[in-house]
Amino acid sequence: MGRNALYEVDVAHSGETWDVAKQKIAQALDQAVYGHFKGLKVIHGYGSVSGQSVIAPRAISLMRHLAEEYGGRFAKDQKNPGASLIWLNKAGGTGMVDEKPFYSAVSKKAQAGDNWFDQALKRNQE
């Protein structure tokens, strides 16, 4: 099942908070890697109609970060503007050790006190 399939997770349509959504994304990426899926599809919605969107922009930033950190490739879903993908690069190195990887909100390249979201905001402002 895994080699040619995408692992899919919905992080925005069951009343999730950002903390729960972030945890779901990390766990889903873990499952996709260990299940030998070709990628991870995260359904994050495209934002709130009645206010400021919380999950969608943060999910996209986290996914970009995780793809960069672990040798994958981030892409927006062409068929669904409320979903994004991390394509897992099987051929190249993933930066992971033989043990089960631990996905963290703090970049390996981060300075003390910086988390991935702050780094992404800084990059977008530059």
Side-chain angles (χ1 to χ4, degrees):
M1 177 183 223
R3 292 204 188 272
N4 293 318
L6 286 172
Y7 190 86
E8 188 172 307
V9 64
D10 186 333
V11 300
H13 297 100
S14 295
E16 291 90 342
T17 64
W18 167 239
D19 289 332
V20 170
K22 180 171 61 171
Q23 183 178 13
K24 279 182 151 182
I25 293 169
Q27 289 173 343
L29 183 56
D30 214 25
Q31 291 295 318
V33 168
Y34 284 103
H36 301 287
F37 287 82
K38 67 179 180 178
L40 170 65
K41 179 176 181 176
V42 176
I43 300 167
H44 48 66
Y46 33 87
S48 173
V49 175
S50 60
Q52 185 175 4
S53 174
V54 174
I55 292 178
R58 289 181 179 187
I60 291 168
S61 293
L62 175 61
M63 291 176 70
R64 287 181 190 273
H65 166 75
L66 291 173
E68 183 180 311
E69 284 290 311
Y70 296 99
R73 184 174 51 89
F74 173 83
K76 296 289 284 177
D77 188 333
Q78 297 295 320
K79 297 177 183 176
N80 181 354
S84 298
L85 307 161
I86 294 177
W87 295 106
L88 300 172
N89 185 0
K90 304 289 185 196
T94 61
M96 291 185 254
V97 294
D98 291 337
E99 296 177 13
K100 186 175 180 179
F102 173 73
Y103 298 109
S104 170
V106 179
S107 171
K108 294 176 187 175
K109 303 170 190 171
Q111 297 174 0
D114 278 352
N115 66 29
W116 64 266
F117 193 68
D118 294 335
Q119 292 173 32
L121 289 175
K122 285 179 190 175
R123 270 188 253 145
N124 287 338
Q125 292 174 351
E126 293 175 350

